[in-house]
Amino acid sequence: MNKNLLFLFLLLSGMFACKPDKEKAESEAKPPNIVFIMTDDHSYQTLSAYDRRYIQTPNLDRIANEGVKFTNSFVTNSICGPSRAVMLTGKHSHVNGFVNNSGEFDGSQPTFPKYLQQAGYQTALVGKWHLKSQPTGFNHWEILIGQGNYYNTDFIENGERNRSEGYVTDVITDKSLDWLEKRDKEKPFCLLVHHKATHRIWMPDTALLNLFEGQEFDVPESFFDGYEGRTAAAEQKMSIDKDMDLVYDLKMLDKEGELLTKYRKAYEGMYGRMNEEQKAAWDAYYDPIIEEFKKAGLKGKELALWKYQRYMQDYLKCVKSVDNNVGRLLDYLDEQGLAENTLVVYTSDQGFYMGEHGWFDKRFMYEESLRTPLLMRFPKGIEAKGNQEAMVQNLDYAPTFLDLAGVPVPEDIQGASLLPLVQGKAKDWRKAIYYHYYEYPNEHMVKRHYGIRTDRYKLIHFYNDIDEWELYDLKNDPDEMENLIEKEGYWDISEELKTELVNLQSTYQDTDKATF
Ligand code: SGN
Ligand code: CA
């Protein structure tokens, strides 16, 4: 070996020899990173760490197995923009001002990304935003326009509009990985990966179209609910049977143009975004189903059940893409030696109905949409694993992130850090949660309501153009089929809950319900 080569060899081997130690020392000294993955409308029923009936999600389950699964995780207002605003601010909708999807988020208010920035974090947001105003508090952002599209969607990147070819769940992950690669590696980071999936109209990746071939999914017991004693439930417009559009939601775009449904045109627009290759794969899968469907001439209950099966097929394939892509992110963290010093969070902006009560969509304070999946894998140093049963809300994410980063949680934040809870150090924890939904009259026609949930009971007041109370015993009636409000023997319980509800409204300063 000549002298120069020997020198180079020694230099390189020296670099490689000391790199792991250097990285180790750095990661020990650095505040933990945060990867906050959120999907849109992903139900806990379709995440196998919670429910194994419909799909296996091994990558999401990995977060649960290596971390904490929150078994009683709820939102405060089950709708997209408002849920996101609650997460960003740690404050209820009436406080952060974004009460329904028609609003515009006041981006001048404090949010957890801003506090983290001030503490030296690099912050980034990739994917769905849905808050109308431009994101604030991020060093980098690339957001979908409104709901975005499943195929070849447009993004706004730091103000500029660009189209990205491909399937949206893959693209959002690619962009997230890209940012992780390019970030300033000297600083801790907080990355928000916010997927469009599994939002309506549940367009699967063409690569996964043949998944679940021939599979029949179990129909929920409450699928043919008659809504007795529940006026608001009876008057919604989110029924699989009556409101799910054959062409738009279920992709029955027949070439003959005979299925002239209300939203056929809208679907044509979405289908039209696909390139020739994507369309060919799409048609190869759906065309035979369309043909068979037209021949079958289904009606009544048979048709409703057929719609349910088609809905599940499409939705679950979207879930599968999410799971695969979460796997890519977790692998990247492993490969880069980042896993140990990173909090990984997986959640959805709310839950969703998979045919329970005959529905799709969300909004109601009933369990399927009040709940949301929540999995957290904590960085080294925080020994937290297994199931956490205390009632937590999306209100708690902001203070948890701040607490983890060593930032004092501001007094006006209404949620609480989950760190003491998961470490078994919480002195006392909430015994009841508060909920308030405002988006009425609007799509799906779910009436305005607010309510309280304890570990056993739920009391809801529907108001605005209706004045009705509902009471459920979640232990004896987990499907919430029987409204007990007028039933003998429940008077004391409902009075106690009403008092507690008023207390919560005063604690959270939600006393003026007529404002919005
Ligand atoms: C869209 C959907 C609705 C959905 C809302 C809110 N219709 O308007 O079905 O309830 O979003 O969803 S669609 O025809 O545009 O798909 S949210 O998750 O963004 O709040
Ligand atoms: Ca949503």
Side-chain angles (χ1 to χ4, degrees), residues 220 222-225 227 236 238-242 353-360:
S222 60
F223 188 74
F224 291 111
D225 191 350
Y227 314 117
Q236 48 56 48
M238 48 192 249
S239 137
I240 292 177
D241 182 12
K242 299 191 183 69
Y353 294 92
M354 309 309 306
E356 298 87 358
H357 304 285
W359 297 336
F360 63 101

Side-chain angles (χ1 to χ4, degrees), residues 328-341:
R328 289 176 64 206
L329 256 179
L330 295 178
D331 288 348
Y332 179 87
L333 296 179
D334 287 343
E335 283 154 24
Q336 299 296 313
L338 290 165
E340 275 201 352
N341 199 34

Side-chain angles (χ1 to χ4, degrees), residues 459-476:
L459 180 78
I460 314 176
H461 182 214
F462 290 93
Y463 70 99
N464 187 235
D465 65 346
I466 179 177
D467 178 11
E468 285 191 13
W469 291 83
E470 295 183 6
L471 172 68
Y472 297 97
D473 178 343
L474 300 169
K475 190 167 165 218
N476 294 330

Side-chain angles (χ1 to χ4, degrees), residues 39-43 46 128 147-151 167-169 196-206 208-209 212 237-241 243-252 263 267 270-271 274 282 285-286 307-322 348-355 358-363 443-444:
T39 34
D40 196 359
D41 295 1
H42 185 192
S43 59
T46 58
K128 189 168 176 186
Q147 300 283 5
N149 282 282
Y150 274 102
Y151 280 90
Y167 186 67
V168 69
T169 312
K196 167 179 175 61
T198 52
H199 194 274
R200 198 180 179 190
I201 55 170
W202 320 293
M203 290 174 85
D205 180 357
T206 51
L208 298 180
L209 282 169
F212 309 115
K237 296 262 175 281
M238 48 192 249
S239 137
I240 292 177
D241 182 12
D243 306 303
M244 193 172 260
D245 192 281
L246 275 172
V247 177
Y248 180 66
D249 291 306
L250 301 179
K251 294 93 187 168
M252 296 297 105
Y263 297 115
Y267 177 71
M270 290 174 187
Y271 173 83
M274 288 193 267
W282 193 263
Y285 176 74
Y286 284 106
K307 288 172 99 175
Y308 171 73
Q309 295 296 338
R310 288 293 344 141
Y311 163 51
M312 292 297 279
Q313 284 272 342
D314 290 345
Y315 183 100
L316 291 171
K317 288 166 198 169
C318 295
V319 173
K320 197 69 189 174
S321 289
V322 167
S348 168
D349 62 344
Q350 14 64 208
F352 213 65
Y353 294 92
M354 309 309 306
W359 297 336
F360 63 101
D361 215 65
K362 51 262 179 174
R363 299 160 194 268
E443 201 176 359
H444 303 302

Side-chain angles (χ1 to χ4, degrees), residues 1-25:
M1 204 179 277
N2 75 26
K3 238 166 63 187
N4 284 348
L5 266 178
L6 181 67
F7 175 71
L8 189 68
F9 172 74
L10 289 175
L11 183 80
L12 284 174
S13 55
M15 269 167 65
F16 285 121
C18 69
K19 202 172 172 218
D21 280 337
K22 190 168 155 249
E23 253 181 23
K24 206 166 151 232

